[in-house]
Amino acid sequence: MPLLIYSLLRLALFGAALGLLYVVGLRGWLLPIVAVVVALALSYLTLTKPRDAATRWIAARADRRAAERAVFPNVDADAAHEDAQVDQRFRTD
C-alpha cells in the first residue's frame, strides 16, 4: 500500500506541475517534459517519508519472498515433476 500512495502522490505532483506550467503559458511538446522534471525535483524534495515507507515495504516483501523460497526450495522442481507425470499419463501416442 505505501507504494501505491507514493505513486499517487508523484502523479499528483506531475498533474499540479503540468497545470501550473500550462497556466503560466508553457505549451507544446516542452510542457510535459518540463512538468516531468519539475515533478521529479519536487517529489525528491518533498516526498521523503512516503518514499522511505515504500522502500521499506518493498524490502519487507523481498525478505518474505526469500524466506518462502528458503522454506520451500523445491517448489519449481516439484511442479515440473508433476507436470511431467500428467503429460506422461495423458499422452496420446
Side-chain angles (χ1 to χ4, degrees):
M1 192 66 155
L3 186 61
L4 179 65
I5 292 169
Y6 178 63
S7 298
L8 290 175
L9 288 171
R10 288 192 67 184
L11 281 172
L13 279 176
F14 172 71
L18 193 71
L20 182 65
L21 290 170
Y22 185 82
V23 168
V24 168
L26 192 60
R27 302 284 194 274
W29 60 270
L30 198 56
L31 174 63
I33 294 172
V34 174
V36 165
V37 172
V38 168
L40 182 109
L42 286 175
S43 69
Y44 182 75
L45 295 172
T46 61
L47 299 179
T48 55
K49 287 183 182 181
R51 182 177 57 241
D52 291 344
T55 302
R56 282 191 304 273
W57 183 81
I58 291 170
R61 185 171 180 222
D63 290 343
R64 280 193 310 271
R65 285 184 160 188
E68 287 174 5
R69 276 189 236 112
V71 172
F72 304 109
N74 295 325
V75 171
D76 293 332
D78 290 344
H81 179 69
E82 290 171 1
D83 290 345
Q85 285 183 338
V86 169
D87 290 343
Q88 184 180 8
R89 169 132 186 171
F90 293 107
R91 190 176 317 192
T92 57
D93 289 28

Coordinates of all heavy atoms in Angstrom, one line a residue:
M1 N 0.8 -1.2 0.0 CA 0.0 0.0 0.0 C 0.8 1.3 0.0 O 0.5 2.2 -0.6 CB -0.9 -0.1 1.2 CG -2.0 1.0 1.2 SD -3.1 0.7 -0.2 CE -4.5 1.5 0.4
P2 N 2.0 1.3 0.7 CA 2.8 2.5 0.7 C 3.3 2.9 -0.7 O 3.4 4.0 -1.1 CB 3.9 2.2 1.6 CG 3.5 1.2 2.5 CD 2.5 0.4 1.7
L3 N 3.5 1.8 -1.5 CA 4.0 2.1 -2.9 C 2.9 2.7 -3.7 O 3.2 3.6 -4.5 CB 4.4 0.7 -3.5 CG 5.1 0.8 -4.9 CD1 6.3 1.6 -4.8 CD2 5.4 -0.6 -5.4
L4 N 1.7 2.3 -3.5 CA 0.6 2.9 -4.2 C 0.4 4.4 -3.8 O 0.2 5.3 -4.7 CB -0.7 2.1 -4.0 CG -2.0 2.7 -4.6 CD1 -1.9 2.6 -6.1 CD2 -3.2 1.9 -4.1
I5 N 0.5 4.7 -2.5 CA 0.4 6.0 -2.0 C 1.5 6.9 -2.6 O 1.2 8.0 -3.1 CB 0.4 6.0 -0.5 CG1 -0.9 5.4 0.0 CG2 0.5 7.5 0.1 CD1 -0.9 5.1 1.5
Y6 N 2.7 6.4 -2.6 CA 3.8 7.2 -3.1 C 3.6 7.4 -4.6 O 3.8 8.6 -5.1 CB 5.1 6.4 -2.9 CG 6.3 7.1 -3.4 CD1 6.7 8.4 -3.0 CD2 7.1 6.5 -4.4 CE1 7.8 9.0 -3.5 CE2 8.2 7.1 -4.9 CZ 8.6 8.4 -4.5 OH 9.7 9.0 -5.0
S7 N 3.2 6.4 -5.3 CA 2.9 6.6 -6.8 C 1.9 7.6 -7.1 O 2.0 8.5 -8.0 CB 2.6 5.3 -7.4 OG 3.6 4.4 -7.3
L8 N 0.8 7.6 -6.3 CA -0.3 8.5 -6.5 C 0.1 10.0 -6.1 O -0.3 10.9 -6.8 CB -1.5 8.1 -5.7 CG -2.3 6.9 -6.1 CD1 -3.4 6.5 -5.1 CD2 -2.8 7.1 -7.5
L9 N 0.9 10.1 -5.1 CA 1.5 11.4 -4.8 C 2.3 12.0 -5.9 O 2.3 13.2 -6.2 CB 2.2 11.4 -3.4 CG 1.4 11.2 -2.2 CD1 2.3 11.0 -1.0 CD2 0.5 12.4 -2.0
R10 N 3.2 11.1 -6.5 CA 4.0 11.6 -7.6 C 3.2 12.0 -8.8 O 3.5 12.9 -9.5 CB 5.0 10.5 -7.9 CG 6.1 10.3 -6.9 CD 7.2 9.5 -7.3 NE 7.9 10.2 -8.4 CZ 8.9 9.7 -9.1 NH1 9.4 8.5 -8.8 NH2 9.5 10.4 -10.0
L11 N 2.1 11.2 -9.1 CA 1.2 11.5 -10.2 C 0.5 12.9 -9.9 O 0.3 13.7 -10.8 CB 0.2 10.4 -10.4 CG 0.7 9.2 -11.2 CD1 -0.3 8.1 -11.2 CD2 1.1 9.6 -12.6
A12 N 0.2 13.1 -8.6 CA -0.5 14.3 -8.3 C 0.5 15.5 -8.5 O 0.1 16.6 -9.0 CB -1.0 14.3 -6.8
L13 N 1.7 15.3 -8.1 CA 2.7 16.4 -8.3 C 2.9 16.7 -9.8 O 3.0 17.8 -10.2 CB 4.1 16.0 -7.7 CG 4.2 16.2 -6.2 CD1 5.5 15.7 -5.7 CD2 4.1 17.7 -5.9
F14 N 2.9 15.6 -10.6 CA 3.1 15.8 -12.0 C 1.9 16.6 -12.6 O 2.0 17.5 -13.4 CB 3.2 14.5 -12.8 CG 3.2 14.6 -14.2 CD1 4.2 15.1 -14.9 CD2 2.1 14.1 -15.0 CE1 4.2 15.3 -16.3 CE2 2.0 14.3 -16.3 CZ 3.1 14.8 -17.0
G15 N 0.7 16.2 -12.1 CA -0.5 16.9 -12.6 C -0.5 18.4 -12.2 O -0.9 19.2 -13.0
A16 N -0.1 18.6 -11.0 CA -0.1 20.0 -10.5 C 1.0 20.8 -11.3 O 0.7 22.0 -11.7 CB 0.3 20.0 -9.0
A17 N 2.1 20.2 -11.5 CA 3.2 20.9 -12.3 C 2.7 21.2 -13.7 O 2.9 22.2 -14.3 CB 4.5 20.1 -12.3
L18 N 2.0 20.2 -14.3 CA 1.5 20.3 -15.6 C 0.5 21.4 -15.7 O 0.6 22.3 -16.6 CB 0.9 19.0 -16.1 CG 0.6 18.8 -17.5 CD1 1.8 18.7 -18.4 CD2 -0.3 17.6 -17.7
G19 N -0.4 21.5 -14.8 CA -1.5 22.5 -14.8 C -0.9 23.9 -14.5 O -1.2 24.9 -15.2
L20 N 0.1 24.0 -13.6 CA 0.7 25.3 -13.3 C 1.5 25.8 -14.5 O 1.4 27.0 -14.8 CB 1.6 25.2 -12.0 CG 2.2 26.4 -11.6 CD1 1.2 27.4 -11.1 CD2 3.2 26.2 -10.5
L21 N 2.2 24.9 -15.1 CA 3.0 25.4 -16.2 C 2.1 25.7 -17.4 O 2.5 26.6 -18.2 CB 4.0 24.3 -16.7 CG 5.2 24.0 -15.7 CD1 5.9 22.8 -16.0 CD2 6.1 25.3 -15.6
Y22 N 1.0 25.1 -17.6 CA 0.0 25.4 -18.6 C -0.5 26.8 -18.4 O -0.7 27.6 -19.3 CB -1.1 24.4 -18.7 CG -2.0 24.6 -19.8 CD1 -1.7 24.2 -21.1 CD2 -3.2 25.2 -19.6 CE1 -2.6 24.4 -22.2 CE2 -4.1 25.4 -20.7 CZ -3.8 25.0 -22.0 OH -4.6 25.2 -23.0
V23 N -0.9 27.1 -17.1 CA -1.5 28.4 -16.8 C -0.4 29.5 -17.0 O -0.8 30.6 -17.4 CB -2.0 28.4 -15.3 CG1 -2.3 29.8 -14.8 CG2 -3.2 27.5 -15.2
V24 N 0.8 29.2 -16.7 CA 1.9 30.1 -16.9 C 2.1 30.5 -18.3 O 2.6 31.6 -18.7 CB 3.2 29.6 -16.2 CG1 4.4 30.5 -16.6 CG2 3.1 29.6 -14.7
G25 N 1.8 29.5 -19.2 CA 1.9 29.8 -20.6 C 2.8 28.9 -21.4 O 2.9 29.0 -22.6
L26 N 3.3 27.8 -20.8 CA 4.1 26.9 -21.5 C 3.2 25.9 -22.3 O 2.2 25.4 -21.7 CB 4.9 26.1 -20.5 CG 6.1 25.2 -21.0 CD1 7.1 26.1 -21.8 CD2 6.8 24.5 -19.9
R27 N 3.5 25.8 -23.5 CA 2.6 24.9 -24.4 C 3.5 24.0 -25.3 O 4.7 24.1 -25.3 CB 1.8 25.8 -25.4 CG 0.9 26.8 -24.7 CD -0.3 26.1 -24.1 NE -1.4 27.1 -23.8 CZ -1.4 27.7 -22.6 NH1 -0.5 27.6 -21.7 NH2 -2.4 28.6 -22.4
G28 N 2.9 23.1 -26.0 CA 3.6 22.3 -26.9 C 4.3 21.1 -26.2 O 3.9 20.7 -25.1
W29 N 5.2 20.5 -27.0 CA 5.9 19.3 -26.5 C 6.8 19.6 -25.3 O 7.1 18.7 -24.6 CB 6.7 18.7 -27.7 CG 7.8 19.7 -28.2 CD1 7.6 20.6 -29.2 CD2 9.1 19.8 -27.7 NE1 8.8 21.3 -29.4 CE2 9.7 20.8 -28.5 CE3 9.9 19.1 -26.7 CZ2 11.1 21.2 -28.3 CZ3 11.2 19.5 -26.5 CH2 11.8 20.5 -27.3
L30 N 7.2 20.8 -25.1 CA 8.0 21.2 -24.0 C 7.3 21.1 -22.6 O 7.9 20.8 -21.6 CB 8.6 22.6 -24.2 CG 9.8 22.9 -23.4 CD1 10.9 21.9 -23.6 CD2 10.3 24.3 -23.7
L31 N 6.0 21.3 -22.7 CA 5.2 21.3 -21.4 C 5.3 20.0 -20.6 O 5.6 20.0 -19.5 CB 3.7 21.6 -21.8 CG 2.7 21.5 -20.6 CD1 3.0 22.5 -19.5 CD2 1.3 21.6 -21.1
P32 N 5.0 18.8 -21.2 CA 5.2 17.6 -20.4 C 6.6 17.3 -20.0 O 6.8 16.7 -18.9 CB 4.6 16.5 -21.3 CG 4.6 17.0 -22.7 CD 4.5 18.5 -22.5
I33 N 7.6 17.7 -20.8 CA 9.0 17.4 -20.4 C 9.4 18.2 -19.2 O 9.9 17.7 -18.2 CB 9.9 17.7 -21.6 CG1 9.6 16.6 -22.7 CG2 11.3 17.6 -21.2 CD1 10.3 16.9 -24.0
V34 N 9.0 19.5 -19.2 CA 9.4 20.4 -18.1 C 8.6 20.0 -16.9 O 9.1 20.0 -15.7 CB 9.1 21.9 -18.4 CG1 9.3 22.7 -17.2 CG2 10.1 22.3 -19.6
A35 N 7.3 19.5 -17.1 CA 6.5 19.1 -15.9 C 7.1 17.9 -15.3 O 7.0 17.7 -14.0 CB 5.1 18.9 -16.4
V36 N 7.6 16.9 -16.1 CA 8.2 15.7 -15.5 C 9.4 16.1 -14.7 O 9.6 15.6 -13.6 CB 8.6 14.7 -16.6 CG1 9.6 13.7 -16.1 CG2 7.4 14.1 -17.2
V37 N 10.3 17.0 -15.2 CA 11.5 17.4 -14.5 C 11.1 18.1 -13.2 O 11.7 17.9 -12.1 CB 12.4 18.3 -15.4 CG1 13.5 18.9 -14.6 CG2 12.9 17.5 -16.5
V38 N 10.1 19.0 -13.2 CA 9.7 19.8 -12.0 C 9.1 18.8 -11.0 O 9.4 18.8 -9.8 CB 8.7 20.9 -12.4 CG1 8.0 21.4 -11.2 CG2 9.4 22.0 -13.2
A39 N 8.2 17.9 -11.5 CA 7.6 16.9 -10.6 C 8.7 16.0 -9.9 O 8.6 15.6 -8.8 CB 6.6 16.1 -11.3
L40 N 9.7 15.6 -10.7 CA 10.7 14.8 -10.2 C 11.5 15.5 -9.1 O 11.7 14.9 -8.0 CB 11.7 14.4 -11.3 CG 12.8 13.4 -10.9 CD1 12.6 12.1 -11.4 CD2 14.1 14.0 -11.3
A41 N 11.8 16.7 -9.3 CA 12.6 17.5 -8.3 C 11.7 17.7 -7.1 O 12.2 17.6 -5.9 CB 13.0 18.8 -8.9
L42 N 10.4 18.1 -7.3 CA 9.6 18.3 -6.1 C 9.3 17.0 -5.3 O 9.3 17.0 -4.1 CB 8.2 18.8 -6.6 CG 8.2 20.3 -7.0 CD1 6.8 20.7 -7.5 CD2 8.6 21.2 -5.8
S43 N 9.2 15.9 -6.0 CA 9.0 14.6 -5.3 C 10.2 14.2 -4.5 O 10.1 13.7 -3.4 CB 8.6 13.5 -6.2 OG 9.6 13.1 -7.1
Y44 N 11.4 14.5 -5.1 CA 12.6 14.2 -4.3 C 12.8 15.0 -3.1 O 13.2 14.5 -2.0 CB 13.8 14.4 -5.3 CG 15.1 14.1 -4.6 CD1 15.5 12.8 -4.4 CD2 16.0 15.1 -4.2 CE1 16.7 12.5 -3.8 CE2 17.2 14.8 -3.5 CZ 17.6 13.5 -3.4 OH 18.7 13.2 -2.7
L45 N 12.3 16.3 -3.2 CA 12.5 17.2 -2.0 C 11.4 17.0 -1.0 O 11.6 17.2 0.2 CB 12.5 18.6 -2.5 CG 13.7 19.0 -3.4 CD1 13.5 20.4 -3.9 CD2 15.0 18.9 -2.6
T46 N 10.2 16.7 -1.4 CA 9.0 16.8 -0.5 C 8.5 15.4 -0.1 O 7.8 15.3 0.9 CB 7.9 17.6 -1.1 OG1 7.4 16.9 -2.3 CG2 8.3 19.0 -1.4
L47 N 8.7 14.4 -0.8 CA 8.1 13.1 -0.5 C 9.1 12.1 0.1 O 9.0 10.9 -0.2 CB 7.5 12.5 -1.8 CG 6.4 13.3 -2.5 CD1 5.9 12.6 -3.7 CD2 5.3 13.5 -1.5
T48 N 9.9 12.5 1.0 CA 10.9 11.6 1.6 C 10.2 10.5 2.5 O 10.6 9.4 2.4 CB 11.9 12.4 2.5 OG1 11.3 13.2 3.4 CG2 12.8 13.2 1.6
K49 N 9.3 10.9 3.3 CA 8.6 9.9 4.2 C 7.8 8.9 3.4 O 8.0 7.7 3.7 CB 7.7 10.6 5.2 CG 8.5 11.3 6.3 CD 7.5 12.0 7.3 CE 8.3 12.7 8.4 NZ 7.5 13.3 9.4
P50 N 7.0 9.3 2.4 CA 6.3 8.2 1.6 C 7.3 7.4 0.8 O 7.1 6.2 0.7 CB 5.4 9.0 0.7 CG 5.2 10.3 1.4 CD 6.5 10.6 2.1
R51 N 8.4 8.0 0.4 CA 9.4 7.2 -0.4 C 10.1 6.2 0.5 O 10.3 5.0 0.1 CB 10.4 8.1 -1.0 CG 11.5 7.4 -1.9 CD 12.4 8.4 -2.5 NE 13.1 9.2 -1.6 CZ 13.1 10.6 -1.6 NH1 12.3 11.2 -2.5 NH2 13.7 11.3 -0.7
D52 N 10.4 6.6 1.7 CA 11.1 5.7 2.7 C 10.1 4.6 3.1 O 10.5 3.4 3.2 CB 11.5 6.4 3.9 CG 12.7 7.3 3.6 OD1 13.4 7.2 2.6 OD2 13.0 8.2 4.5
A53 N 8.8 4.9 3.3 CA 7.8 3.9 3.6 C 7.7 2.9 2.4 O 7.6 1.7 2.7 CB 6.5 4.5 3.9
A54 N 7.7 3.4 1.2 CA 7.6 2.5 0.1 C 8.8 1.6 -0.1 O 8.7 0.4 -0.4 CB 7.4 3.3 -1.2
T55 N 10.0 2.1 0.2 CA 11.2 1.4 0.2 C 11.2 0.3 1.2 O 11.6 -0.9 1.0 CB 12.4 2.3 0.4 OG1 12.4 3.3 -0.6 CG2 13.7 1.5 0.3
R56 N 10.8 0.6 2.4 CA 10.7 -0.4 3.5 C 9.7 -1.5 3.1 O 9.9 -2.7 3.4 CB 10.3 0.2 4.8 CG 11.4 1.0 5.5 CD 11.0 1.4 6.9 NE 9.8 2.2 7.0 CZ 9.9 3.5 6.9 NH1 11.0 4.2 6.7 NH2 8.7 4.2 7.0
W57 N 8.6 -1.1 2.5 CA 7.6 -2.1 2.1 C 8.1 -3.1 1.1 O 7.9 -4.3 1.2 CB 6.3 -1.4 1.6 CG 5.2 -2.3 1.3 CD1 4.3 -2.9 2.1 CD2 4.9 -2.8 -0.1 NE1 3.4 -3.6 1.4 CE2 3.7 -3.6 0.1 CE3 5.4 -2.5 -1.3 CZ2 3.2 -4.2 -1.0 CZ3 4.8 -3.1 -2.4 CH2 3.7 -4.0 -2.2
I58 N 8.8 -2.5 0.1 CA 9.4 -3.4 -1.0 C 10.5 -4.3 -0.4 O 10.5 -5.5 -0.7 CB 10.0 -2.5 -2.1 CG1 8.9 -1.8 -2.9 CG2 10.9 -3.3 -3.0 CD1 9.4 -0.8 -3.8
A59 N 11.3 -3.8 0.5 CA 12.3 -4.6 1.2 C 11.7 -5.7 2.0 O 12.2 -6.9 2.0 CB 13.2 -3.7 2.0
A60 N 10.7 -5.4 2.7 CA 10.0 -6.4 3.6 C 9.4 -7.5 2.7 O 9.4 -8.7 3.0 CB 8.9 -5.8 4.4
R61 N 8.8 -7.1 1.6 CA 8.2 -8.1 0.6 C 9.3 -9.0 0.0 O 9.1 -10.2 -0.1 CB 7.5 -7.3 -0.5 CG 6.7 -8.2 -1.4 CD 5.9 -7.4 -2.4 NE 5.2 -8.3 -3.2 CZ 5.0 -8.1 -4.5 NH1 5.5 -6.9 -5.1 NH2 4.4 -8.9 -5.3
A62 N 10.4 -8.4 -0.3 CA 11.5 -9.2 -0.9 C 12.0 -10.2 0.2 O 12.3 -11.3 -0.1 CB 12.6 -8.3 -1.3
D63 N 12.1 -9.7 1.4 CA 12.5 -10.6 2.5 C 11.6 -11.8 2.7 O 12.0 -12.9 2.9 CB 12.7 -9.8 3.8 CG 13.9 -8.9 3.8 OD1 14.8 -9.1 2.9 OD2 13.9 -8.0 4.7
R64 N 10.3 -11.5 2.7 CA 9.3 -12.5 2.8 C 9.4 -13.5 1.7 O 9.3 -14.7 1.9 CB 7.8 -11.9 2.8 CG 7.4 -11.4 4.2 CD 5.9 -11.1 4.2 NE 5.4 -10.3 3.1 CZ 5.4 -9.0 3.0 NH1 5.8 -8.3 4.0 NH2 4.9 -8.4 1.9
R65 N 9.6 -13.1 0.5 CA 9.7 -14.0 -0.7 C 10.9 -14.8 -0.5 O 10.9 -16.0 -0.8 CB 9.7 -13.2 -2.0 CG 8.4 -12.7 -2.4 CD 8.5 -12.0 -3.7 NE 7.2 -11.9 -4.3 CZ 6.9 -11.6 -5.5 NH1 8.0 -11.2 -6.3 NH2 5.7 -11.5 -6.0
A66 N 12.0 -14.2 -0.1 CA 13.3 -15.0 0.1 C 13.1 -16.1 1.2 O 13.6 -17.2 1.1 CB 14.4 -14.1 0.5
A67 N 12.4 -15.7 2.3 CA 12.1 -16.7 3.3 C 11.2 -17.8 2.8 O 11.4 -19.0 3.2 CB 11.4 -16.0 4.5
E68 N 10.2 -17.5 2.0 CA 9.4 -18.6 1.5 C 10.2 -19.5 0.6 O 10.0 -20.7 0.6 CB 8.2 -17.9 0.7 CG 7.2 -17.3 1.5 CD 6.1 -16.6 0.7 OE1 6.2 -16.7 -0.6 OE2 5.3 -15.9 1.3
R69 N 11.1 -18.9 -0.2 CA 12.0 -19.8 -1.1 C 12.9 -20.7 -0.2 O 13.2 -21.8 -0.6 CB 12.8 -18.9 -2.0 CG 12.0 -18.6 -3.3 CD 12.8 -18.0 -4.3 NE 12.2 -16.7 -4.7 CZ 12.7 -15.5 -4.4 NH1 13.8 -15.4 -3.8 NH2 12.0 -14.4 -4.7
A70 N 13.3 -20.2 0.9 CA 14.2 -20.9 1.8 C 13.4 -22.1 2.4 O 14.0 -23.2 2.6 CB 14.8 -20.0 2.9
V71 N 12.1 -21.9 2.8 CA 11.3 -22.9 3.4 C 10.9 -23.9 2.3 O 10.9 -25.1 2.6 CB 10.1 -22.3 4.1 CG1 9.1 -23.4 4.5 CG2 10.5 -21.4 5.2
F72 N 10.6 -23.5 1.2 CA 10.1 -24.4 0.1 C 11.0 -24.3 -1.1 O 10.6 -23.7 -2.2 CB 8.7 -24.0 -0.3 CG 7.7 -24.1 0.8 CD1 7.1 -22.9 1.3 CD2 7.3 -25.3 1.3 CE1 6.2 -23.0 2.3 CE2 6.4 -25.3 2.4 CZ 5.8 -24.2 2.9
P73 N 12.2 -24.8 -1.1 CA 13.2 -24.6 -2.1 C 12.9 -25.3 -3.4 O 13.3 -25.0 -4.5 CB 14.5 -25.0 -1.5 CG 14.2 -26.0 -0.5 CD 12.8 -25.5 0.0
N74 N 12.1 -26.4 -3.3 CA 11.9 -27.3 -4.5 C 10.5 -27.1 -5.1 O 10.1 -28.0 -5.8 CB 12.2 -28.7 -4.1 CG 13.6 -29.0 -3.7 OD1 14.5 -28.4 -4.3 ND2 13.8 -29.8 -2.7
V75 N 9.9 -26.0 -4.9 CA 8.5 -25.8 -5.4 C 8.5 -25.9 -6.9 O 7.7 -26.6 -7.5 CB 7.9 -24.5 -4.9 CG1 6.6 -24.2 -5.6 CG2 7.8 -24.5 -3.4
D76 N 9.5 -25.2 -7.6 CA 9.5 -25.3 -9.0 C 9.8 -26.7 -9.5 O 9.3 -27.1 -10.5 CB 10.5 -24.3 -9.5 CG 10.1 -22.8 -9.3 OD1 8.9 -22.6 -9.2 OD2 11.0 -21.9 -9.1
A77 N 10.8 -27.3 -8.9 CA 11.1 -28.7 -9.3 C 10.0 -29.6 -9.1 O 9.7 -30.5 -9.9 CB 12.4 -29.2 -8.5
D78 N 9.2 -29.5 -8.0 CA 8.1 -30.4 -7.8 C 7.0 -30.1 -8.8 O 6.4 -31.1 -9.3 CB 7.5 -30.1 -6.4 CG 8.4 -30.6 -5.2 OD1 9.3 -31.4 -5.5 OD2 8.2 -30.2 -4.1
A79 N 6.8 -28.9 -9.1 CA 5.7 -28.5 -10.1 C 6.1 -29.1 -11.5 O 5.3 -29.6 -12.2 CB 5.6 -27.0 -10.2
A80 N 7.4 -29.0 -11.9 CA 7.9 -29.6 -13.1 C 7.7 -31.1 -13.1 O 7.3 -31.7 -14.2 CB 9.3 -29.2 -13.4
H81 N 8.0 -31.8 -12.0 CA 7.8 -33.2 -11.9 C 6.4 -33.6 -12.1 O 6.0 -34.6 -12.8 CB 8.4 -33.7 -10.6 CG 8.3 -35.2 -10.4 ND1 9.0 -36.1 -11.2 CD2 7.5 -35.9 -9.6 CE1 8.6 -37.3 -10.8 NE2 7.7 -37.2 -9.8
E82 N 5.5 -32.9 -11.4 CA 4.1 -33.2 -11.5 C 3.6 -32.9 -13.0 O 2.8 -33.7 -13.5 CB 3.3 -32.3 -10.6 CG 3.5 -32.7 -9.1 CD 2.9 -31.6 -8.2 OE1 2.3 -30.7 -8.6 OE2 3.0 -31.8 -6.9
D83 N 4.0 -31.9 -13.6 CA 3.6 -31.6 -15.0 C 4.1 -32.8 -15.9 O 3.3 -33.2 -16.8 CB 4.2 -30.3 -15.5 CG 3.5 -29.1 -14.8 OD1 2.5 -29.3 -14.2 OD2 4.1 -28.0 -14.9
A84 N 5.3 -33.3 -15.7 CA 5.8 -34.4 -16.5 C 5.0 -35.6 -16.3 O 4.7 -36.4 -17.2 CB 7.3 -34.6 -16.2
Q85 N 4.5 -35.9 -15.1 CA 3.7 -37.1 -14.8 C 2.3 -36.9 -15.5 O 1.8 -37.9 -16.0 CB 3.5 -37.3 -13.3 CG 4.7 -37.8 -12.6 CD 4.5 -38.0 -11.1 OE1 3.6 -37.5 -10.5 NE2 5.3 -38.9 -10.5
V86 N 1.7 -35.8 -15.4 CA 0.5 -35.6 -16.1 C 0.6 -35.7 -17.6 O -0.2 -36.4 -18.2 CB -0.1 -34.2 -15.7 CG1 -1.3 -33.8 -16.6 CG2 -0.5 -34.1 -14.2
D87 N 1.6 -35.2 -18.1 CA 1.9 -35.3 -19.6 C 2.1 -36.7 -20.0 O 1.5 -37.2 -21.0 CB 3.1 -34.5 -20.0 CG 2.9 -33.0 -19.9 OD1 1.7 -32.6 -19.8 OD2 3.9 -32.2 -19.9
Q88 N 2.8 -37.5 -19.2 CA 3.0 -38.9 -19.5 C 1.7 -39.7 -19.4 O 1.5 -40.6 -20.2 CB 4.1 -39.5 -18.5 CG 4.5 -40.9 -18.8 CD 5.5 -41.4 -17.8 OE1 5.8 -40.7 -16.8 NE2 6.0 -42.6 -18.1
R89 N 0.9 -39.4 -18.4 CA -0.3 -40.1 -18.2 C -1.3 -39.9 -19.3 O -2.0 -40.8 -19.7 CB -0.9 -39.7 -16.9 CG -2.3 -40.2 -16.7 CD -2.5 -40.9 -15.4 NE -3.9 -41.4 -15.4 CZ -4.3 -42.2 -14.5 NH1 -3.5 -42.5 -13.5 NH2 -5.5 -42.6 -14.5
F90 N -1.4 -38.7 -19.8 CA -2.4 -38.4 -20.8 C -1.8 -38.3 -22.2 O -2.4 -37.7 -23.1 CB -3.1 -37.1 -20.4 CG -3.9 -37.2 -19.2 CD1 -3.5 -36.6 -18.0 CD2 -5.1 -37.9 -19.2 CE1 -4.2 -36.7 -16.8 CE2 -5.9 -38.0 -18.0 CZ -5.4 -37.4 -16.8
R91 N -0.7 -38.8 -22.4 CA -0.1 -38.8 -23.8 C -0.9 -39.7 -24.7 O -1.4 -40.7 -24.3 CB 1.4 -39.4 -23.7 CG 2.1 -39.2 -25.0 CD 3.5 -39.6 -24.9 NE 4.1 -39.2 -23.6 CZ 5.3 -39.3 -23.2 NH1 6.2 -39.7 -24.1 NH2 5.7 -38.9 -22.1
T92 N -1.1 -39.2 -25.9 CA -1.9 -40.0 -26.9 C -1.1 -40.4 -28.1 O -1.4 -40.2 -29.2 CB -3.0 -39.0 -27.4 OG1 -2.4 -37.9 -28.0 CG2 -4.0 -38.6 -26.3
D93 N 0.0 -41.2 -27.7 CA 0.8 -41.7 -28.8 C 0.2 -42.9 -29.5 O -0.4 -43.7 -29.1 CB 2.2 -42.2 -28.2 CG 3.0 -41.1 -27.8 OD1 2.4 -40.0 -27.4 OD2 4.2 -41.2 -27.7

